[in-house]
Amino acid sequence: MPLQMVRNDITRMQVDAIVNAANPTLLGGGGVDGAIHRAAGPGLLAECRTLGGCRTGEAKLTGGYNLPCRYVIHTVGPIWRGGQQGERAALTACYRNSLQLAVEQDCETVAFPLISAGVYGYPKAEALQVAVETIEEFLQQQELTVYLVLFDRTVYTISEQLHREIAAFIDDRYVEAHTDSRAEQSRRIAIQQSCPEVFAAPMPAAAPSAPAVDPDLLQAVRQMDESFSQMLLRKIDESGMTDAQCYKRANISRKLFSKIRSDLHYRPSKPTVLAFAIALRLPMDQTRELLCKAGFALSHSSKFDIIVEYFISHGNYDICQVNEALFAFDQSLLGG
Ligand code: ADP
């Protein structure tokens, strides 16, 4: 999946390159910078001394030393001074320049911390928004997997209001799914008592020997419906999007998309199906149809399902916002 938000310590990320939120001296500091230098060992500082510092928004490369990554990309984020001093442009440049360096080194996987969102004071929600937008934009042009490593649970770009609305939506759906009022219970018991033979019936015994395949059954199997991948490709054509536009909007890698395209009977995961539903802006009924092709349904007993349903039913097909909300509610994210 091209962009993933994960909660982790960046020094543990097994990727080609991690990005360090450094200061202009590049000689180490607190926060994530300190953690990276501690984990990498003294070799990193020795190499940093040779680099002559780094200006805000720029990025420089070193080896990874004792870290599990090949490279560390050091970038210097802006100090927050109220938002009118070019902070956003500088922060955008940090992500772009770091990603560009990673691509030049043929990296396939890169992990970022939330640059400037610590002692440099950039408001976390806005820092996350800049990170997601800049990375997403870069990934429209380049094949790369980028991890945004978040340390802090309270990093939401979704507003308090949206958070409350989704929470209420989840509660309502949960209540519906778990309602088992006395009236319903007694109705069920009454039905069971009136038809004891149905409810007590044992499962039919297995046939002692395998029967010859019924030709009608064979015929029925041959007349199988359109598969998931067929339906997906048809819907992409109908949408007027190119394949690449669609899988990028779905936050799906080209590799996974090629697998789906080349295998008529590919069984995708539920987050993959929903990512395509969002990318294709499918309404609820068509989303259910696409899910059904892959053997899934939306359940009101699952927070993940309810959150995705919330966005689709509100006509909001911004996959970044859906993923931010899923992240805020501790659910797995949409995409490959
Ligand atoms: P800056 O000076 O750019 O603000 P900081 O290191 O103070 O840099 O903080 C940047 C972000 O990195 C903050 O959101 C902080 O919570 C996070 N952070 C701190 N340590 C780690 C770590 N080990 N792994 C990932 N993120 C971290």
Side-chain angles (χ1 to χ4, degrees):
M1 177 168 147
L3 171 61
Q4 277 193 52
M5 283 181 272
V6 294
R7 193 168 288 133
N8 202 349
D9 175 346
I10 202 163
T11 63
R12 294 169 190 268
M13 294 294 293
Q14 311 250 350
V15 285
D16 295 328
I18 64 170
V19 177
N20 180 17
N23 62 48
T25 67
L26 295 188
L27 299 180
V32 72
D33 194 8
I36 290 174
H37 274 276
R38 276 193 299 281
L44 180 63
L45 182 60
E47 187 178 352
C48 281
R49 285 190 202 286
T50 67
L51 298 177
C54 180
R55 283 200 295 245
T56 302
E58 293 183 353
K60 293 200 172 170
L61 186 94
T62 63
Y65 299 90
N66 299 335
L67 289 160
C69 55
R70 275 195 286 148
Y71 304 110
V72 179
I73 295 170
H74 306 262
T75 187
V76 180
I79 297 173
W80 179 258
R81 293 196 172 88
Q84 303 300 316
Q85 311 291 320
E87 290 92 334
R88 191 184 173 97
L91 189 56
T92 304
C94 287
Y95 285 99
R96 280 214 195 107
N97 289 329
S98 302
L99 287 164
Q100 191 54 43
L101 257 186
V103 167
E104 283 163 19
Q105 300 301 318
D106 293 326
C107 294
E108 291 180 357
T109 49
V110 185
F112 280 91
L114 205 54
I115 300 164
S116 284
V119 291
Y120 278 9
Y122 211 107
K124 284 187 190 296
E126 291 172 39
L128 179 59
Q129 195 191 357
V130 174
V132 170
E133 280 178 20
T134 313
I135 295 167
E136 287 280 343
E137 193 189 302
F138 193 87
L139 293 178
Q140 300 295 314
Q141 315 299 331
Q142 301 284 346
E143 292 294 329
L144 203 64
T145 297
V146 179
Y147 297 92
L148 198 50
V149 181
L150 304 177
F151 224 39
D152 187 345
R153 271 181 178 271
T154 60
V155 180
Y156 303 144
T157 58
I158 59 168
S159 65
E160 291 270 315
Q161 172 68 14
L162 179 58
H163 195 273
R164 269 199 302 277
E165 277 170 25
I166 295 173
F169 193 76
I170 291 173
D171 284 350
D172 290 349
R173 298 303 184 279
Y174 254 47
V175 169
E176 271 170 31
H178 294 110
T179 296
D180 194 12
S181 69
R182 286 224 195 99
E184 277 168 334
Q185 268 181 15
S186 46
R187 200 176 327 126
R188 258 203 311 277
I189 292 166
I191 294 170
Q192 286 179 15
Q193 284 169 347
S194 65
C195 321
E197 60 306 327
V198 174
F199 288 92
M203 293 291 287
S209 61
V213 180
D214 180 340
D216 288 347
L217 175 60
L218 265 183
Q219 185 61 16
V221 170
R222 284 202 192 102
Q223 287 173 356
M224 249 169 50
D225 275 358
E226 190 181 38
S227 72
F228 167 78
S229 58
Q230 286 170 320
M231 180 180 271
L232 175 67
L233 296 175
R234 174 170 63 78
K235 293 220 176 272
I236 294 175
D237 288 345
E238 286 168 6
S239 75
M241 264 184 243
T242 64
D243 288 356
Q245 280 166 339
C246 181
Y247 71 70
K248 285 187 172 166
R249 279 185 62 166
N251 208 19
I252 298 282
S253 67
R254 186 177 55 187
K255 208 161 138 198
L256 176 57
F257 185 80
S258 314
K259 263 198 217 160
I260 298 173
R261 189 170 41 194
S262 58
D263 180 355
L264 188 67
H265 301 296
Y266 186 83
R267 299 300 295 260
S269 70
K270 194 169 182 178
T272 299
V273 181
L274 288 171
F276 280 117
I278 296 275
L280 289 161
R281 304 177 70 84
L282 299 184
M284 260 341 282
D285 54 337
Q286 292 184 37
T287 299
R288 289 186 199 281
E289 211 186 336
L290 190 65
L291 275 168
C292 180
K293 293 290 175 196
F296 300 114
L298 282 178
S299 157
H300 286 170
S301 299
S302 148
K303 273 192 197 174
F304 172 88
D305 291 7
I306 295 171
I307 292 170
V308 177
E309 186 177 332
Y310 174 90
F311 278 89
I312 295 177
S313 59
H314 285 73
N316 183 343
Y317 291 95
D318 181 334
I319 195 157
C320 296
Q321 281 187 29
V322 180
N323 275 340
E324 282 156 21
L326 287 168
F327 188 83
F329 284 88
D330 261 338
Q331 303 299 302
S332 41
L333 307 185
L334 297 188

